């Protein structure tokens, strides 16, 4: 089940723009890492930032309402027959403080936490994070939606992230963009994790968080993957099967086809991650289409066939 952005902001699905902004403002100030010492607040701060970024954008919100998180992040299907059957999915940049900065405005959205000389102010919210003690932020996990073709052939994905980078003074910071490159290997499975160490926000007494991308498979219009095998469902009569690498396979069937019949084609599945030169198998299931009505003549022919 995907994330519930409305629940994250404590609002209903028919909330108006003003209510979304009011909810984010209240929760962002409550759970900001400089104001809360609760360990869970760091993750909550990121969740509400992502929720606000989606729900405050009419296009993203419309896609999310209709297709859910999977459609929003994995891309939504376009018209049948298009050369690019899936629209580009949404990827949250992972920088909750960027959302905070853009919402509250100003060159330094954290100015309220410091005095005129730039020294930390001891707030009545449990104080600031331990001074002089470096602590690594929790990992930032993001889904990476890939098509079966991406996972079959392998590919290169470039993802732009925005993060806070310390300035030369070692105290103030600036938001900068960075491109992360992911070399997808043939045969990667759903759940594969790609870790970029310490690519999160920088700051005083902070060890930047690791950014982890987790592979998710997009739905495919023809194939379903099970481990390293591919499942193909074909309606009788059988013609040719077009593989992921655009080859046409002629599948000879010499057996009697029944509702549970399955044809195994060795070596036509997904590449094995351990050795991409080897592949899993292709399993073809058949949809037998039974007629809803029979003429008296066809009924008689069927009786004769069953009695012989």
């Amino acid at each position: 089940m995907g994330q519930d952005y409305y629940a994250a902001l404590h609002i209903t699905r028919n909330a108006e723009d003003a209510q979304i902004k009011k909810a984010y403002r209240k929760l962002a100030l409550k759970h900001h890492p400089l104001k809360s010492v609760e360990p869970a607040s760091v993750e909550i701060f990121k969740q509400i930032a992502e929720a606000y970024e989606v729900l405050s954008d009419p296009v993203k919100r419309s896609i999310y309402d209709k297709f859910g998180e999977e459609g929003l992040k994995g891309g939504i299907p376009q018209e049948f027959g298009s050369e690019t059957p899936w629209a580009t999915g949404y990827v949250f940049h992972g920088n909750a403080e960027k959302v905070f900065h853009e919402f509250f405005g100003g060159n330094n959205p954290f100015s309220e936490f410091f005095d005129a000389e730039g020294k930390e102010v001891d707030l009545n919210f449990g104080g600031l994070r331990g001074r002089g003690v470096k602590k690594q932020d929790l990992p930032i996990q993001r889904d990476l939606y890939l098509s079966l073709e991406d996972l079959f052939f392998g590919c290169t994905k470039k993802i732009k992230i925005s993060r806070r980078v310390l300035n030369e003074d070692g105290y103030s910071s600036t938001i900068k963009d960075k491109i992360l490159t992911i070399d997808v290997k043939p045969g990667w499975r759903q759940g594969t994790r790609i870790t970029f160490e310490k690519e999160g926000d920088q700051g005083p007494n902070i060890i930047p968080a690791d950014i982890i991308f987790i592979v998710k498979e997009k739905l495919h219009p023809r194939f379903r993957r099970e481990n390293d095998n591919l499942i193909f469902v074909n309606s009788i009569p059988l013609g040719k099967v077009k593989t992921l690498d655009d080859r046409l396979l002629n599948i000879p069937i010499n057996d009697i086809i029944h509702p549970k019949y399955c044809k195994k084609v060795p070596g036509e599945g997904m590449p094995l991650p351990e050795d991409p030169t080897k592949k899993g198998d292709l399993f073809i299931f058949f949809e037998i289409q039974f007629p809803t009505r029979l003429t008296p003549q066809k009924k008689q022919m069927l009786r004769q066939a069953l009695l012989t």
Side-chain angles (χ1 to χ4, degrees):
M1 184 175 180
Q3 296 185 64
D4 189 336
Y5 291 133
Y6 292 98
L9 292 179
H10 301 174
I11 56 177
T12 60
R13 297 186 72 87
N14 60 354
E16 297 180 354
D17 186 59
Q19 294 173 298
I20 294 172
K21 291 180 179 179
K22 182 178 179 181
Y24 172 74
R25 179 184 180 86
K26 177 181 177 182
L27 292 171
L29 291 174
K30 176 181 178 181
H31 293 287
H32 193 285
L34 290 176
K35 281 194 172 184
S36 175
V37 294
E38 295 294 330
S41 285
V42 175
E43 187 59 32
I44 294 174
F45 186 62
K46 294 174 183 176
Q47 291 174 358
I48 61 177
E50 181 175 345
Y52 174 74
E53 187 170 85
V54 171
L55 298 182
S56 63
D57 185 307
V59 176
K60 292 187 183 72
R61 182 179 181 182
S62 176
I63 295 174
Y64 173 73
D65 286 343
K66 188 174 182 179
F67 297 98
E69 184 189 11
E70 182 177 354
L72 177 71
K73 294 184 175 180
I76 58 175
Q78 297 178 332
E79 294 184 2
F80 181 79
S82 170
E83 293 182 0
T84 55
W86 289 86
T88 302
Y90 159 77
V91 178
F92 180 57
H93 49 69
N95 192 337
E97 295 190 1
K98 176 183 177 182
V99 179
F100 185 87
H101 173 88
E102 292 174 347
F103 182 89
F104 288 96
N107 294 326
N108 182 9
F110 309 103
S111 59
E112 64 178 291
F113 304 137
F114 301 94
D115 61 19
E117 297 178 357
K119 297 179 180 179
E120 295 176 348
V121 177
D122 189 11
L123 306 176
N124 293 322
F125 298 95
L128 300 171
R129 67 180 74 216
R131 301 174 183 177
V133 179
K134 284 197 172 186
K135 180 180 179 182
Q136 185 170 22
D137 286 340
L138 294 176
I140 300 169
Q141 297 187 4
R142 293 291 171 260
D143 292 336
L144 176 65
Y145 282 89
L146 299 172
S147 67
L148 268 184
E149 287 80 1
D150 290 337
L151 296 168
F152 184 89
F153 294 104
C155 63
T156 298
K157 295 290 183 181
K158 294 184 180 296
I159 301 175
K160 184 171 75 172
I161 63 169
S162 298
R163 60 173 187 159
R164 286 196 166 272
V165 178
L166 273 177
N167 296 326
E168 292 183 359
D169 60 13
Y171 185 78
S172 62
S173 60
T174 305
I175 294 177
K176 293 185 178 180
D177 293 336
K178 182 174 182 178
I179 301 296
L180 300 180
T181 301
I182 299 177
D183 292 321
V184 179
K185 305 300 182 185
W188 271 6
R189 303 182 181 99
Q190 178 153 294
T192 298
R193 299 163 71 90
I194 307 98
T195 301
F196 292 88
E197 295 184 353
K198 301 178 182 179
E199 289 290 355
D201 290 337
Q202 299 176 358
N205 297 330
I206 296 175
I207 300 175
D210 295 340
I211 298 180
I212 303 173
F213 291 93
I214 303 174
V215 170
K216 301 286 186 180
E217 292 180 4
K218 293 181 181 179
L219 296 177
H220 195 275
R222 292 183 294 123
F223 294 96
R224 185 178 81 252
R225 181 180 184 179
E226 289 187 2
N227 298 320
D228 297 318
N229 300 320
L230 289 175
I231 308 298
F232 179 82
V233 178
N234 192 86
S235 299
I236 292 178
L238 178 66
K240 297 180 179 180
V241 176
K242 190 175 184 180
T243 62
L244 283 173
D245 53 353
D246 290 331
R247 290 178 295 111
L248 288 176
L249 298 179
N250 287 310
I251 310 296
I253 303 295
N254 301 317
D255 305 319
I256 297 176
I257 304 294
H258 54 81
K260 294 184 179 180
Y261 181 80
C262 172
K263 177 69 174 180
K264 176 181 176 181
V265 185
E268 289 294 346
M270 294 294 292
L272 304 184
E274 303 82 9
D275 183 1
T277 62
K278 298 180 181 179
K279 296 178 183 177
D281 300 325
L282 170 65
F283 292 88
I284 304 175
F285 290 85
F286 296 87
E287 288 185 345
I288 300 178
Q289 300 174 345
F290 292 98
T292 56
R293 293 182 180 179
L294 289 174
T295 64
Q297 183 180 7
K298 289 184 178 180
K299 288 182 180 179
Q300 182 60 32
M301 293 174 62
L302 182 60
R303 289 193 190 98
Q304 292 177 352
L306 293 175
L307 290 174
T308 57

